[in-house]
Amino acid sequence: MNIRNAFGLFCQTIIFALMGAVATAEVRFESAVGSDTFGRPVSYALYLPPGYDTDNRSYPVLYLLHGGGSGQPSDWFTLAGLDQLLDQLISDGTIRPFIAVAPDGRRDKANKIATYFLDDHDGALRWETMFFEDFIPAIETRHRAIGNGEARAVLGISMGAVAATLYNLKEPTEFAGSAALSIAFRTESQVLALSPEAYESRYAGLLGPDLEGEERFNSHWQAISPSTVVSAADKSNFARIPRLYFDMGADDPFFQGAAELHITLRDAGIKHRFLVSEGNHDWNFWRRSLAEAILHIDAVFTRGYGE
C-alpha cells in the first residue's frame, strides 16, 4: 500500500468514526439540595443532555425514582445505562432532549425500612411532601427547567414505580405523564403472607410497625390502594391520551397486583398503556424495557400521542 492510499484509508476511518460518534451528556452523582421538610440536604444524580452547557434554552425534566432494598440514584446510570440510551436517542433525533434527575429515596444509609417515596404513617419522614414542596422547586430553579406540569414527568422502578403512579394520579396537573416498570403493588394476600421481618422492612414506615394480619389493612393502606386512588382521581385529566404507562414481566411476583391495577384503571375509564413481556423482577427486564418507557415520556412531553 502506497502512502497516498494509506493516508486515504486513515482519513476514511476517521470520518466513519466521527459519523458514528454520539454526542454525550454530563452525568453528576454527588449533587444535593436543601430541604426544610427534612432539615438536611437531599442528594440526587443528574443527567444534563448534550448541548446543555452551550445553549440558553430551558428543558423538560424527568424525575427518576429508584427501586427499594439496595436501590439508589446511581442505579439509573451504572446499572441501567440510562445516560447512554438518552444520548443515543437524542443524537439520532428519536426524542427531544430533557434533564433527568434521580433523587435519593433511601431513609438513611442503612435504609432498613423502605420509604416508597411517600410520607410515613406518623409523619416521621415526609418524603412525598419534601418532593413536591422542596425538591422539585429547588431542582427547577437550579437547573434550566421549563418548570410546569406539561414539561415534567416521572419514571419509577418497582418501589419507585408505585410512587410514580400515585403521584401522577393524585397530582395530574403536576406531570405530563408517568412510566412504571415492574410496579410493586402487592395484593392483600401477599401482604398477609409477609413475615414480621419482611413486613417491617417494607411497610413499617408507610403503614406502621408491628402489624399482624388484617391490622395491616389500616387507613394508610387504604389511602394507597388502587381502588381508593383511582376513584379519587380527576378522570378528565386522563380521558384523551395514555398519560400512565406500565410494563410488567410475565413472571414478575407483582404481576397480579399490576393486573388488578390495570383492570381498575380500565373500568374507571382512565386511558393508560399496560405492556406485558417475558421477564422477571430484575435488571435484565428493566434494561430491556427502558427504551420503550422513554419513548412514552417523550410522547407526553411532545404531544406525540396526538393530544
Tab-separated table of all heavy atoms in Angstrom, residues 132-185:
chain	number	residue	atom	x	y	z
A	132	PHE	N	-42.493	17.427	46.645
A	132	PHE	CA	-43.291	18.465	45.997
A	132	PHE	C	-42.974	19.867	46.515
A	132	PHE	O	-42.946	20.823	45.734
A	132	PHE	CB	-44.784	18.165	46.175
A	132	PHE	CG	-45.294	17.088	45.270
A	132	PHE	CD1	-45.378	15.769	45.699
A	132	PHE	CD2	-45.678	17.368	43.967
A	132	PHE	CE1	-45.846	14.767	44.868
A	132	PHE	CE2	-46.142	16.383	43.116
A	132	PHE	CZ	-46.225	15.070	43.564
A	133	GLU	N	-42.735	20.002	47.800
A	133	GLU	CA	-42.566	21.340	48.377
A	133	GLU	C	-41.127	21.844	48.322
A	133	GLU	O	-40.919	23.057	48.214
A	133	GLU	CB	-43.060	21.344	49.826
A	133	GLU	CG	-44.553	21.107	49.952
A	133	GLU	CD	-45.058	21.263	51.376
A	133	GLU	OE1	-44.241	21.580	52.282
A	133	GLU	OE2	-46.264	21.060	51.587
A	134	ASP	N	-40.159	20.948	48.388
A	134	ASP	CA	-38.757	21.361	48.440
A	134	ASP	C	-37.979	20.962	47.197
A	134	ASP	O	-37.308	21.789	46.580
A	134	ASP	CB	-38.053	20.746	49.668
A	134	ASP	CG	-38.715	21.092	50.975
A	134	ASP	OD1	-39.424	22.106	51.027
A	134	ASP	OD2	-38.533	20.342	51.953
A	135	PHE	N	-38.062	19.677	46.846
A	135	PHE	CA	-37.146	19.134	45.844
A	135	PHE	C	-37.422	19.665	44.438
A	135	PHE	O	-36.519	20.191	43.776
A	135	PHE	CB	-37.196	17.604	45.854
A	135	PHE	CG	-36.091	16.966	45.072
A	135	PHE	CD1	-34.827	16.846	45.621
A	135	PHE	CD2	-36.303	16.475	43.785
A	135	PHE	CE1	-33.785	16.261	44.905
A	135	PHE	CE2	-35.276	15.892	43.065
A	135	PHE	CZ	-34.015	15.784	43.633
A	136	ILE	N	-38.659	19.527	43.959
A	136	ILE	CA	-38.974	19.983	42.608
A	136	ILE	C	-38.677	21.477	42.437
A	136	ILE	O	-38.012	21.873	41.464
A	136	ILE	CB	-40.429	19.647	42.235
A	136	ILE	CG1	-40.590	18.144	42.027
A	136	ILE	CG2	-40.864	20.406	40.979
A	136	ILE	CD1	-42.012	17.707	41.713
A	137	PRO	N	-39.149	22.345	43.344
A	137	PRO	CA	-38.834	23.773	43.170
A	137	PRO	C	-37.335	24.053	43.160
A	137	PRO	O	-36.863	24.883	42.367
A	137	PRO	CB	-39.517	24.434	44.373
A	137	PRO	CG	-40.615	23.501	44.742
A	137	PRO	CD	-40.073	22.134	44.490
A	138	ALA	N	-36.565	23.379	44.019
A	138	ALA	CA	-35.122	23.613	44.070
A	138	ALA	C	-34.444	23.153	42.788
A	138	ALA	O	-33.593	23.866	42.225
A	138	ALA	CB	-34.516	22.897	45.278
A	139	ILE	N	-34.803	21.977	42.302
A	139	ILE	CA	-34.209	21.448	41.071
A	139	ILE	C	-34.513	22.357	39.892
A	139	ILE	O	-33.634	22.688	39.083
A	139	ILE	CB	-34.732	20.021	40.789
A	139	ILE	CG1	-34.154	19.026	41.785
A	139	ILE	CG2	-34.417	19.593	39.358
A	139	ILE	CD1	-32.660	18.844	41.716
A	140	GLU	N	-35.750	22.793	39.781
A	140	GLU	CA	-36.165	23.537	38.603
A	140	GLU	C	-35.775	25.003	38.679
A	140	GLU	O	-35.901	25.735	37.694
A	140	GLU	CB	-37.660	23.321	38.366
A	140	GLU	CG	-37.942	21.846	38.090
A	140	GLU	CD	-39.375	21.524	37.725
A	140	GLU	OE1	-40.199	22.456	37.638
A	140	GLU	OE2	-39.668	20.326	37.517
A	141	THR	N	-35.267	25.441	39.849
A	141	THR	CA	-34.651	26.756	39.967
A	141	THR	C	-33.160	26.667	39.660
A	141	THR	O	-32.609	27.507	38.958
A	141	THR	CB	-34.846	27.323	41.388
A	141	THR	OG1	-36.231	27.466	41.642
A	141	THR	CG2	-34.155	28.675	41.537
A	142	ARG	N	-32.525	25.622	40.166
A	142	ARG	CA	-31.079	25.462	39.983
A	142	ARG	C	-30.713	25.145	38.540
A	142	ARG	O	-29.727	25.642	38.004
A	142	ARG	CB	-30.555	24.357	40.899
A	142	ARG	CG	-29.092	24.013	40.686
A	142	ARG	CD	-28.608	22.950	41.646
A	142	ARG	NE	-28.608	23.405	43.027
A	142	ARG	CZ	-28.133	22.687	44.041
A	142	ARG	NH1	-27.652	21.476	43.824
A	142	ARG	NH2	-28.158	23.178	45.265
A	143	HIS	N	-31.496	24.279	37.899
A	143	HIS	CA	-31.217	23.862	36.527
A	143	HIS	C	-32.236	24.502	35.592
A	143	HIS	O	-33.314	24.901	36.014
A	143	HIS	CB	-31.247	22.337	36.438
A	143	HIS	CG	-30.336	21.667	37.428
A	143	HIS	ND1	-28.966	21.770	37.365
A	143	HIS	CD2	-30.611	20.927	38.531
A	143	HIS	CE1	-28.427	21.099	38.375
A	143	HIS	NE2	-29.399	20.584	39.100
A	144	ARG	N	-31.894	24.613	34.323
A	144	ARG	CA	-32.736	25.358	33.381
A	144	ARG	C	-33.939	24.519	32.968
A	144	ARG	O	-33.979	23.932	31.889
A	144	ARG	CB	-31.928	25.796	32.164
A	144	ARG	CG	-30.870	26.845	32.471
A	144	ARG	CD	-30.462	27.635	31.232
A	144	ARG	NE	-30.185	26.769	30.106
A	144	ARG	CZ	-29.017	26.169	29.892
A	144	ARG	NH1	-28.027	26.315	30.760
A	144	ARG	NH2	-28.841	25.414	28.830
A	145	ALA	N	-34.924	24.481	33.831
A	145	ALA	CA	-36.143	23.712	33.580
A	145	ALA	C	-37.251	24.627	33.082
A	145	ALA	O	-37.320	25.803	33.456
A	145	ALA	CB	-36.587	23.014	34.852
A	146	ILE	N	-38.122	24.084	32.241
A	146	ILE	CA	-39.299	24.837	31.808
A	146	ILE	C	-40.169	25.162	33.007
A	146	ILE	O	-40.717	26.256	33.120
A	146	ILE	CB	-40.072	24.048	30.737
A	146	ILE	CG1	-39.215	23.925	29.467
A	146	ILE	CG2	-41.402	24.718	30.410
A	146	ILE	CD1	-39.792	23.021	28.405
A	147	GLY	N	-40.307	24.197	33.905
A	147	GLY	CA	-40.889	24.489	35.202
A	147	GLY	C	-42.402	24.487	35.283
A	147	GLY	O	-42.980	25.221	36.073
A	148	ASN	N	-43.063	23.643	34.476
A	148	ASN	CA	-44.506	23.481	34.650
A	148	ASN	C	-44.877	22.023	34.429
A	148	ASN	O	-44.056	21.217	33.971
A	148	ASN	CB	-45.296	24.413	33.720
A	148	ASN	CG	-45.015	24.152	32.251
A	148	ASN	OD1	-45.061	23.018	31.784
A	148	ASN	ND2	-44.726	25.213	31.503
A	149	GLY	N	-46.124	21.677	34.751
A	149	GLY	CA	-46.543	20.292	34.699
A	149	GLY	C	-46.491	19.665	33.322
A	149	GLY	O	-46.292	18.453	33.211
A	150	GLU	N	-46.659	20.450	32.278
A	150	GLU	CA	-46.616	19.899	30.930
A	150	GLU	C	-45.207	19.495	30.527
A	150	GLU	O	-45.022	18.762	29.548
A	150	GLU	CB	-47.180	20.910	29.930
A	150	GLU	CG	-48.669	21.175	30.110
A	150	GLU	CD	-49.209	22.136	29.085
A	150	GLU	OE1	-48.404	22.665	28.280
A	150	GLU	OE2	-50.432	22.371	29.082
A	151	ALA	N	-44.203	19.972	31.254
A	151	ALA	CA	-42.806	19.673	30.940
A	151	ALA	C	-42.137	18.935	32.097
A	151	ALA	O	-40.943	19.087	32.339
A	151	ALA	CB	-42.058	20.959	30.621
A	152	ARG	N	-42.927	18.124	32.771
A	152	ARG	CA	-42.413	17.375	33.931
A	152	ARG	C	-43.028	15.974	33.889
A	152	ARG	O	-44.227	15.816	33.678
A	152	ARG	CB	-42.805	18.090	35.215
A	152	ARG	CG	-42.226	17.518	36.491
A	152	ARG	CD	-42.786	18.274	37.696
A	152	ARG	NE	-42.429	19.693	37.678
A	152	ARG	CZ	-43.296	20.686	37.881
A	152	ARG	NH1	-44.581	20.423	38.112
A	152	ARG	NH2	-42.896	21.933	37.858
A	153	ALA	N	-42.205	14.933	34.070
A	153	ALA	CA	-42.697	13.559	34.086
A	153	ALA	C	-41.925	12.774	35.133
A	153	ALA	O	-40.906	13.225	35.651
A	153	ALA	CB	-42.547	12.914	32.710
A	154	VAL	N	-42.420	11.557	35.426
A	154	VAL	CA	-41.790	10.749	36.465
A	154	VAL	C	-41.769	9.287	36.010
A	154	VAL	O	-42.741	8.778	35.456
A	154	VAL	CB	-42.523	10.925	37.821
A	154	VAL	CG1	-43.981	10.557	37.716
A	154	VAL	CG2	-41.839	10.151	38.933
A	155	LEU	N	-40.613	8.647	36.221
A	155	LEU	CA	-40.394	7.255	35.829
A	155	LEU	C	-39.861	6.503	37.030
A	155	LEU	O	-38.908	6.944	37.677
A	155	LEU	CB	-39.390	7.201	34.676
A	155	LEU	CG	-38.703	5.868	34.362
A	155	LEU	CD1	-39.717	4.815	33.945
A	155	LEU	CD2	-37.662	6.067	33.261
A	156	GLY	N	-40.471	5.358	37.354
A	156	GLY	CA	-40.038	4.594	38.513
A	156	GLY	C	-39.880	3.122	38.227
A	156	GLY	O	-40.495	2.573	37.307
A	157	ILE	N	-39.032	2.488	39.034
A	157	ILE	CA	-38.832	1.048	39.001
A	157	ILE	C	-39.314	0.460	40.326
A	157	ILE	O	-38.955	0.968	41.390
A	157	ILE	CB	-37.342	0.697	38.796
A	157	ILE	CG1	-36.891	1.025	37.368
A	157	ILE	CG2	-37.078	-0.775	39.104
A	157	ILE	CD1	-35.404	0.841	37.157
A	158	SER	N	-40.136	-0.577	40.286
A	158	SER	CA	-40.544	-1.333	41.468
A	158	SER	C	-41.154	-0.418	42.534
A	158	SER	O	-42.235	0.128	42.342
A	158	SER	CB	-39.345	-2.119	42.010
A	158	SER	OG	-39.730	-3.012	43.024
A	159	MET	N	-40.477	-0.212	43.659
A	159	MET	CA	-40.960	0.707	44.687
A	159	MET	C	-41.178	2.096	44.108
A	159	MET	O	-42.196	2.760	44.365
A	159	MET	CB	-39.957	0.776	45.838
A	159	MET	CG	-40.303	1.793	46.921
A	159	MET	SD	-39.005	1.980	48.185
A	159	MET	CE	-37.879	3.118	47.341
A	160	GLY	N	-40.232	2.565	43.309
A	160	GLY	CA	-40.360	3.876	42.693
A	160	GLY	C	-41.502	3.959	41.711
A	160	GLY	O	-42.092	5.025	41.503
A	161	ALA	N	-41.848	2.817	41.093
A	161	ALA	CA	-42.974	2.789	40.167
A	161	ALA	C	-44.299	3.012	40.885
A	161	ALA	O	-45.233	3.597	40.327
A	161	ALA	CB	-42.997	1.463	39.410
A	162	VAL	N	-44.392	2.542	42.136
A	162	VAL	CA	-45.596	2.789	42.934
A	162	VAL	C	-45.781	4.290	43.129
A	162	VAL	O	-46.863	4.846	42.875
A	162	VAL	CB	-45.503	2.076	44.299
A	162	VAL	CG1	-46.669	2.475	45.196
A	162	VAL	CG2	-45.478	0.559	44.112
A	163	ALA	N	-44.714	4.951	43.573
A	163	ALA	CA	-44.814	6.394	43.814
A	163	ALA	C	-45.066	7.156	42.525
A	163	ALA	O	-45.867	8.104	42.502
A	163	ALA	CB	-43.532	6.890	44.484
A	164	ALA	N	-44.393	6.781	41.443
A	164	ALA	CA	-44.593	7.476	40.168
A	164	ALA	C	-46.061	7.452	39.752
A	164	ALA	O	-46.616	8.456	39.305
A	164	ALA	CB	-43.718	6.841	39.092
A	165	THR	N	-46.695	6.302	39.920
A	165	THR	CA	-48.108	6.162	39.546
A	165	THR	C	-49.015	6.945	40.485
A	165	THR	O	-49.933	7.660	40.033
A	165	THR	CB	-48.490	4.672	39.557
A	165	THR	OG1	-47.641	3.960	38.643
A	165	THR	CG2	-49.941	4.485	39.154
A	166	LEU	N	-48.760	6.844	41.785
A	166	LEU	CA	-49.587	7.569	42.746
A	166	LEU	C	-49.442	9.077	42.560
A	166	LEU	O	-50.433	9.813	42.621
A	166	LEU	CB	-49.192	7.178	44.171
A	166	LEU	CG	-49.494	5.731	44.583
A	166	LEU	CD1	-49.002	5.468	46.003
A	166	LEU	CD2	-50.988	5.435	44.481
A	167	TYR	N	-48.216	9.542	42.349
A	167	TYR	CA	-48.006	10.976	42.125
A	167	TYR	C	-48.845	11.468	40.949
A	167	TYR	O	-49.500	12.511	41.024
A	167	TYR	CB	-46.542	11.269	41.806
A	167	TYR	CG	-45.557	11.150	42.937
A	167	TYR	CD1	-44.193	11.327	42.682
A	167	TYR	CD2	-45.939	10.883	44.245
A	167	TYR	CE1	-43.252	11.238	43.690
A	167	TYR	CE2	-45.009	10.786	45.266
A	167	TYR	CZ	-43.660	10.967	44.984
A	167	TYR	OH	-42.721	10.868	45.977
A	168	ASN	N	-48.788	10.740	39.844
A	168	ASN	CA	-49.474	11.185	38.644
A	168	ASN	C	-50.985	11.154	38.809
A	168	ASN	O	-51.692	12.058	38.339
A	168	ASN	CB	-49.053	10.323	37.453
A	168	ASN	CG	-49.297	11.000	36.119
A	168	ASN	OD1	-49.564	12.192	36.042
A	168	ASN	ND2	-49.177	10.235	35.054
A	169	LEU	N	-51.498	10.123	39.482
A	169	LEU	CA	-52.941	10.036	39.693
A	169	LEU	C	-53.433	11.105	40.664
A	169	LEU	O	-54.507	11.692	40.466
A	169	LEU	CB	-53.307	8.653	40.219
A	169	LEU	CG	-53.288	7.512	39.191
A	169	LEU	CD1	-53.399	6.158	39.884
A	169	LEU	CD2	-54.417	7.685	38.171
A	170	LYS	N	-52.667	11.366	41.723
A	170	LYS	CA	-53.102	12.327	42.734
A	170	LYS	C	-52.866	13.769	42.314
A	170	LYS	O	-53.627	14.665	42.704
A	170	LYS	CB	-52.380	12.043	44.057
A	170	LYS	CG	-52.779	10.733	44.710
A	170	LYS	CD	-52.319	10.640	46.149
A	170	LYS	CE	-50.832	10.575	46.301
A	170	LYS	NZ	-50.401	10.394	47.715
A	171	GLU	N	-51.814	14.012	41.522
A	171	GLU	CA	-51.459	15.377	41.119
A	171	GLU	C	-51.285	15.443	39.603
A	171	GLU	O	-50.193	15.714	39.095
A	171	GLU	CB	-50.162	15.811	41.818
A	171	GLU	CG	-50.211	15.772	43.328
A	171	GLU	CD	-51.083	16.873	43.920
A	171	GLU	OE1	-51.466	17.811	43.185
A	171	GLU	OE2	-51.405	16.787	45.115
A	172	PRO	N	-52.350	15.202	38.850
A	172	PRO	CA	-52.208	15.088	37.387
A	172	PRO	C	-51.739	16.358	36.700
A	172	PRO	O	-51.123	16.277	35.637
A	172	PRO	CB	-53.611	14.686	36.934
A	172	PRO	CG	-54.519	15.181	38.021
A	172	PRO	CD	-53.737	15.011	39.292
A	173	THR	N	-52.000	17.523	37.272
A	173	THR	CA	-51.547	18.750	36.624
A	173	THR	C	-50.069	19.025	36.879
A	173	THR	O	-49.492	19.920	36.258
A	173	THR	CB	-52.375	19.957	37.095
A	173	THR	OG1	-52.210	20.126	38.517
A	173	THR	CG2	-53.849	19.767	36.781
A	174	GLU	N	-49.460	18.259	37.776
A	174	GLU	CA	-48.035	18.450	38.074
A	174	GLU	C	-47.132	17.661	37.136
A	174	GLU	O	-45.919	17.879	37.113
A	174	GLU	CB	-47.739	18.038	39.524
A	174	GLU	CG	-48.372	18.930	40.568
A	174	GLU	CD	-47.843	20.352	40.512
A	174	GLU	OE1	-46.619	20.521	40.351
A	174	GLU	OE2	-48.662	21.287	40.603
A	175	PHE	N	-47.717	16.728	36.363
A	175	PHE	CA	-46.920	15.875	35.486
A	175	PHE	C	-47.624	15.685	34.154
A	175	PHE	O	-48.837	15.489	34.104
A	175	PHE	CB	-46.691	14.496	36.126
A	175	PHE	CG	-45.989	14.555	37.457
A	175	PHE	CD1	-46.714	14.453	38.629
A	175	PHE	CD2	-44.618	14.737	37.527
A	175	PHE	CE1	-46.086	14.512	39.857
A	175	PHE	CE2	-43.977	14.805	38.756
A	175	PHE	CZ	-44.705	14.699	39.926
A	176	ALA	N	-46.831	15.701	33.083
A	176	ALA	CA	-47.381	15.362	31.767
A	176	ALA	C	-47.711	13.883	31.698
A	176	ALA	O	-48.642	13.479	30.993
A	176	ALA	CB	-46.369	15.728	30.680
A	177	GLY	N	-46.956	13.055	32.428
A	177	GLY	CA	-47.218	11.625	32.426
A	177	GLY	C	-46.235	10.891	33.316
A	177	GLY	O	-45.340	11.485	33.920
A	178	SER	N	-46.421	9.573	33.384
A	178	SER	CA	-45.557	8.745	34.208
A	178	SER	C	-45.320	7.408	33.524
A	178	SER	O	-46.103	6.981	32.675
A	178	SER	CB	-46.181	8.517	35.588
A	178	SER	OG	-47.418	7.840	35.471
A	179	ALA	N	-44.235	6.753	33.907
A	179	ALA	CA	-43.941	5.406	33.429
A	179	ALA	C	-43.525	4.560	34.623
A	179	ALA	O	-42.772	5.016	35.481
A	179	ALA	CB	-42.835	5.429	32.380
A	180	ALA	N	-44.035	3.332	34.684
A	180	ALA	CA	-43.795	2.445	35.818
A	180	ALA	C	-43.319	1.095	35.309
A	180	ALA	O	-44.047	0.404	34.590
A	180	ALA	CB	-45.077	2.279	36.637
A	181	LEU	N	-42.100	0.718	35.668
A	181	LEU	CA	-41.545	-0.579	35.309
A	181	LEU	C	-41.633	-1.504	36.514
A	181	LEU	O	-41.127	-1.189	37.588
A	181	LEU	CB	-40.090	-0.438	34.860
A	181	LEU	CG	-39.814	0.533	33.710
A	181	LEU	CD1	-38.337	0.535	33.352
A	181	LEU	CD2	-40.676	0.196	32.495
A	182	SER	N	-42.300	-2.642	36.354
A	182	SER	CA	-42.423	-3.649	37.412
A	182	SER	C	-42.994	-3.051	38.695
A	182	SER	O	-42.412	-3.178	39.773
A	182	SER	CB	-41.060	-4.288	37.703
A	182	SER	OG	-40.510	-4.874	36.560
A	183	ILE	N	-44.125	-2.401	38.573
A	183	ILE	CA	-44.717	-1.719	39.725
A	183	ILE	C	-44.967	-2.705	40.871
A	183	ILE	O	-45.546	-3.771	40.682
A	183	ILE	CB	-46.012	-0.988	39.315
A	183	ILE	CG1	-46.511	-0.094	40.444
A	183	ILE	CG2	-47.079	-1.962	38.833
A	183	ILE	CD1	-47.601	0.868	40.001
A	184	ALA	N	-44.504	-2.353	42.064
A	184	ALA	CA	-44.538	-3.273	43.217
A	184	ALA	C	-45.797	-3.093	44.052
A	184	ALA	O	-45.723	-2.868	45.263
A	184	ALA	CB	-43.286	-3.094	44.068
A	185	PHE	N	-46.963	-3.216	43.416
A	185	PHE	CA	-48.228	-3.232	44.152
A	185	PHE	C	-48.496	-4.673	44.599
A	185	PHE	O	-48.725	-5.557	43.777
A	185	PHE	CB	-49.380	-2.755	43.264
A	185	PHE	CG	-49.682	-1.291	43.387
A	185	PHE	CD1	-49.843	-0.506	42.254
A	185	PHE	CD2	-49.832	-0.693	44.633
A	185	PHE	CE1	-50.132	0.843	42.362
A	185	PHE	CE2	-50.120	0.656	44.750
A	185	PHE	CZ	-50.267	1.426	43.618
